[in-house]
Amino acid sequence: MGADWTKDKTRGSRSSWNPLTWLQHRLVRKHQKTSSTARSDKGIGADAPIQTAGQDRLRRVDFAGQIARVLSELDLREGRVFTIRGGWGFGKSSLKNLVAEKLDADENGADWLDFNPWQWGDSDAIARALFGQIADKLGSRYSADAAASAEALRRYGTILSGAAEPLKEAGARTQFWSMVLTNASVIAIASGIGFDLPTVARVAAAFAALSAVVSIVGRVLTYLGRDRTAEPLDKVRRELEKSLRKLDRPLVIFVDDIDRLEPEQIRLLVRQVKANANLPNLVFVLLFQPSIVERALDPIADGAGRAFLEKVIQTNFDLPAVPTSVVHGIFGEELSALAGAYATEDNGFQQTRWGNVFVGCIQPRLRNMRDARRLISSIAVHLPLHAARNTFEVNVIDFLALETLRVFEPDLHERLFGERDLLLQSSHFRGDGRRDADRAAIERFLETVRDERRDWTKDMLKELFPTLEWAFGGTNYGEDWYLKWLAAKRVCSSRYFPRYFELQTALGELSESGFVDFLAATVDEHKLSVAIADIEANGLLASLVARLDESVERLPVENASLLLPAMYGMGEKLVDTREAGPFSSPWLSAWRATSWFLKRIPSEIRGKLAIEALARSEALSVGAVLIHLSDPADREEGKEDRSEPTLDIQTVEAMKVEWLRQVRIRAGEPGRLIADSDLVSLLYRWRDYAGSMNEPQAWVEDAIRTDEAFVKVMTRLMSRGASQSLGDRVATPHYTFDRKIIEDFIGIDRAKTRCAEIDPAAFSQDKITLQTLQRQLGKWLEPAET
């Protein structure tokens, strides 16, 4: 297995680490429990800073503790300004969180607060926000809590003030009715309808008193709830200064992400820090990348932004250096948790190549933990789209390399899919005169990348697309390499290239997991039959035989007794596809895969299995091809054939016997042989294996006795094709008969006679067959008639 990294439990360091073996190492450990430091989000969006010491993997806890002690022990009559300095992605915010945790853990530690300047605009707004957050911490009347309480008081004061008027009106109405009743001297009537004059008077007095009290209370509440946050800044500052002097320990204000602000905002913020740095018991800790802040201050410091900053800041805390080896080690550990299960040979994992890609192409882009986390996050998002159980639909190494391009060179990655022909060199060949044009196109393609990253990008492209190496002064690869790339599911193969970018299996293509399931089913005849039926029902049989053709080395020889007949049978179902092309039809893939698989079977059992497979499958067309490939009688006379026959002569002869047995059975079953789409080829093989034309001719003569049967046989003997002239947008179909076929099995005169006896109106569905036959018979007979 080789050396591997191990974690020092006491110090958190990695004593050794070998990038060639960490993925396979994880296969042993993948079922162990996840450590307490593992993230539950599986790496997605993991760029956030750490929050606690338990998450620290860079051993900065002690450094954070020292900073916390310095901040807590300051005796401050006037404030101080410190900084935590470091580049983007190097852990400034994480260190700040560790310092804050240490401050909280120390009962005598300084108080602290986070001030984020991003959401504020001009200088007054920044100052108001700063003072407001300090007030929150101190609990003063200028705090957000106090402002919320004041708002509530104002709201209730307004409600009560509004309620005073209706109460007054109610009291006035009561007094009015009392006066009316008294003056009318109708006490008896008033008593009858329920009015008691003394009671009415008391109610009127109560409403009048209540209206006065509510009005006063409303005005008091409104006064208490006045908006103190709108008071002048100097008054707020003086009030806060009084509160700060009473503190028994400093208040630390962390101001993070300053280097993400616009230059003008940086200048406004620094001015405010400078203006308020003399507040007692107040410590500003600014977090930024120095070069960015210094450039922002240059315009107000006559180009001396650094000197200006030095006048504001008393002490700098610079981030401890993190060796890139530590970053790489942490990345490797997190990557192994995500992808370790897929680091297998079946998924294209190969130690030497992984070492080349990891060390040469991935590590150089991982400068800090932010880089590592960004890449881990991208991998975590896209990896499940290619995974099914332990099967990976693409090459795992190519996937990781392309994710590196996606994260660090997104513009280049976006262009890859559109440059398929250039990257794969699929339509080019050496000596086609296009080398100079292609080399220029590749250079234009690389212009997407900045000059300083150009060499790295070339190395990455050469690893992903070895077809391009010649353009960079490297190797020219031959056709034999294509099958190796195909078997390894490489992005440089035309079959797998789209999967890396479409993030799913293409329509009409069998997925890698589906192919793995098929291979697993070859151990059992029933399971294999069901698997093939399912694949065929989904319209993926052609894709399956293409995979068998491309991945014959993966086919389990130990299951040949079941797999070989199945391959015969699948090939027989695809005879009709031979018209798709002589070099790439599913039919070609089917019989070629079968022939290659036969060669992998040990010679001592190969012949026996080949004959049994023909007997079980009854695949006459596939059997005929396999016989032809090894039959000495089919070798062209005078032409040397260097290919080694797959089958010995005894097996070839035995297969011919079995083949004749089956074709005779089929010929004796009404309508069965005539329905075979490979009829012409079978008739000629029948002639060859039987040694004469007698049997096939006799069968044809018997088969065409009726007009209906004659037309059916003619339809089988007719060839179909298409042609397309320059400028045509669609192909034109055309149909022909081979004169020799008609002569051999029917005879020209006999065919003409039978054709003349047929009423075309009775066979409207076979109009093309009859018209084509009549036309060609006329041409063939013209010389004889003249």
Side-chain angles (χ1 to χ4, degrees), residues 153-405:
L153 291 174
R154 284 198 304 276
R155 209 163 44 243
Y156 285 115
T158 300
I159 293 171
L160 292 176
S161 295
E165 289 304 319
L167 288 172
K168 288 181 180 178
E169 291 177 5
R173 284 197 298 271
T174 307
Q175 291 173 349
F176 169 76
W177 282 110
S178 176
M179 180 182 65
V180 169
L181 292 174
T182 301
N183 291 339
S185 300
V186 287
I187 298 173
I189 298 174
S191 299
I193 60 175
F195 281 98
D196 184 343
L197 291 182
T199 300
V200 170
R202 285 196 297 272
V203 169
F207 273 116
L210 183 59
S211 66
V213 171
V214 168
S215 178
I216 293 170
V217 171
R219 283 195 288 270
V220 170
L221 291 180
T222 302
Y223 172 78
L224 293 175
R226 70 186 186 278
D227 185 6
R228 297 179 181 275
T229 61
E231 293 181 356
L233 286 175
D234 57 344
K235 182 178 180 181
V236 177
R237 178 189 166 97
R238 287 195 299 271
E239 291 285 341
L240 290 176
E241 190 171 345
K242 291 179 183 178
S243 299
L244 288 169
R245 291 189 186 283
K246 298 176 183 178
L247 296 180
D248 57 359
R249 52 185 173 178
L251 174 62
V252 177
I253 301 175
F254 294 106
V255 187
D256 201 352
D257 290 334
I258 298 174
D259 43 19
R260 295 174 184 259
L261 298 172
E262 294 295 329
E264 178 59 29
Q265 292 177 307
I266 292 176
R267 291 191 283 270
L268 290 174
L269 180 66
V270 172
R271 285 194 187 103
Q272 284 300 326
V273 170
K274 186 173 185 289
N276 296 288
N278 60 346
L279 286 171
N281 284 316
L282 203 63
V283 181
F284 286 97
V285 179
L286 313 180
L287 288 78
F288 56 76
Q289 180 173 320
S291 60
I292 295 176
V293 175
E294 290 167 7
R295 283 198 302 270
L297 296 175
D298 281 342
I300 62 172
D302 196 22
R306 177 177 297 181
F308 183 92
L309 205 54
E310 290 172 351
K311 293 180 179 179
V312 177
I313 296 167
Q314 283 80 52
T315 303
N316 299 310
F317 299 114
D318 289 325
L319 286 176
V322 179
T324 54
S325 60
V326 173
V327 175
H328 298 162
I330 293 174
F331 172 82
E333 183 179 343
E334 295 183 354
L335 179 58
S336 66
L338 285 173
Y342 306 106
T344 65
E345 186 177 350
D346 286 344
N347 294 325
F349 184 79
Q350 197 269 338
Q351 284 192 358
T352 301
R353 181 165 184 260
W354 168 242
N356 293 337
V357 171
F358 185 72
V359 176
C361 300
I362 297 179
Q363 280 188 348
R365 299 311 298 266
L366 305 180
R367 303 160 301 166
N368 53 56
M369 286 307 301
R370 173 164 293 163
D371 290 341
R373 294 281 163 72
R374 286 176 61 205
L375 182 52
I376 282 292
S377 183
S378 183
I379 291 169
V381 168
H382 294 101
L383 182 141
L385 301 177
H386 295 294
R389 301 183 297 279
N390 287 338
T391 300
F392 212 56
E393 294 292 332
V394 295
N395 183 287
V396 66
I397 296 176
D398 282 358
F399 164 76
L400 295 173
L402 283 168
E403 286 306 304
T404 305
L405 276 179

Side-chain angles (χ1 to χ4, degrees), residues 46 103 200-201 212 231 237 279 289 306 325 329 354 373 424 464 482 494 524 548-549 607 611 618 631 633 645 702 753:
L103 293 175
V200 170
E231 293 181 356
R237 178 189 166 97
L279 286 171
Q289 180 173 320
R306 177 177 297 181
S325 60
W354 168 242
R373 294 281 163 72
L424 302 185
L464 289 168
Y482 179 78
S494 58
D524 179 86
L548 295 173
D549 187 24
I611 298 169
E618 299 182 353
D631 190 357
D702 184 65
T753 301

Side-chain angles (χ1 to χ4, degrees), residues 560-561 564-565 568 595 597-615 626-627 630 645-656 658:
S561 61
L564 195 57
Y568 275 51
S595 177
F597 182 53
L598 271 170
K599 289 183 178 181
R600 293 187 58 226
I601 299 173
S603 57
E604 58 270 20
I605 62 171
R606 184 187 306 162
K608 177 177 179 292
L609 292 181
I611 298 169
E612 289 178 353
L614 177 59
L626 296 176
I627 292 170
S630 297
T646 304
L647 305 172
D648 58 50
I649 188 63
Q650 291 81 9
T651 300
V652 169
E653 295 302 320
M655 286 187 71
K656 287 180 181 180
E658 175 61 28

Side-chain angles (χ1 to χ4, degrees), residues 511-551:
S511 68
E512 178 65 17
S513 59
F515 185 59
V516 170
D517 290 343
F518 168 82
L519 296 180
T522 60
V523 299
D524 179 86
E525 185 174 8
H526 176 69
K527 290 180 179 179
L528 181 58
S529 177
V530 170
I532 294 173
D534 287 344
I535 290 171
E536 187 175 5
N538 290 320
L540 300 176
L541 190 60
S543 178
L544 172 59
V545 298
R547 294 298 306 277
L548 295 173
D549 187 24
E550 297 161 357
S551 308

Side-chain angles (χ1 to χ4, degrees), residues 463-666:
E463 286 290 348
L464 289 168
F465 303 100
T467 45
L468 296 182
E469 281 195 27
W470 65 267
F472 303 125
T475 305
N476 284 281
Y477 288 87
E479 289 295 327
D480 54 326
W481 280 92
Y482 179 78
L483 290 178
K484 296 179 181 178
W485 297 331
L486 201 57
K489 301 180 286 188
R490 293 284 305 274
V491 68
C492 56
S493 65
S494 58
R495 174 177 293 278
Y496 286 96
F497 179 87
R499 297 191 187 186
Y500 288 87
F501 303 97
E502 295 176 0
L503 303 179
Q504 59 186 333
T505 302
L507 288 174
E509 289 286 342
L510 181 68
S511 68
E512 178 65 17
S513 59
F515 185 59
V516 170
D517 290 343
F518 168 82
L519 296 180
T522 60
V523 299
D524 179 86
E525 185 174 8
H526 176 69
K527 290 180 179 179
L528 181 58
S529 177
V530 170
I532 294 173
D534 287 344
I535 290 171
E536 187 175 5
N538 290 320
L540 300 176
L541 190 60
S543 178
L544 172 59
V545 298
R547 294 298 306 277
L548 295 173
D549 187 24
E550 297 161 357
S551 308
V552 69
E553 294 297 325
R554 295 176 62 184
L555 305 185
V557 173
E558 62 273 17
N559 300 335
S561 61
L562 298 179
L563 180 55
L564 195 57
M567 293 177 71
Y568 275 51
M570 287 187 284
E572 199 71 11
K573 294 176 181 178
L574 296 167
V575 172
D576 285 341
T577 68
R578 70 170 71 201
E579 295 178 1
F583 303 111
S584 60
S585 69
W587 158 248
L588 173 67
S589 295
W591 67 253
R592 185 169 59 192
T594 306
S595 177
W596 287 352
F597 182 53
L598 271 170
K599 289 183 178 181
R600 293 187 58 226
I601 299 173
S603 57
E604 58 270 20
I605 62 171
R606 184 187 306 162
K608 177 177 179 292
L609 292 181
I611 298 169
E612 289 178 353
L614 177 59
R616 292 177 59 185
S617 67
E618 299 182 353
L620 294 181
S621 296
V622 174
V625 172
L626 296 176
I627 292 170
H628 164 72
L629 293 175
S630 297
D631 190 357
D634 284 343
R635 303 294 173 98
E636 293 186 32
E637 189 174 344
K639 183 177 180 180
E640 183 181 2
D641 191 344
R642 297 182 179 179
S643 62
E644 187 71 24
T646 304
L647 305 172
D648 58 50
I649 188 63
Q650 291 81 9
T651 300
V652 169
E653 295 302 320
M655 286 187 71
K656 287 180 181 180
V657 173
E658 175 61 28
W659 194 97
L660 283 170
R661 185 186 72 82
Q662 290 190 27
V663 79
R664 288 164 181 161
I665 293 173
R666 192 172 300 185

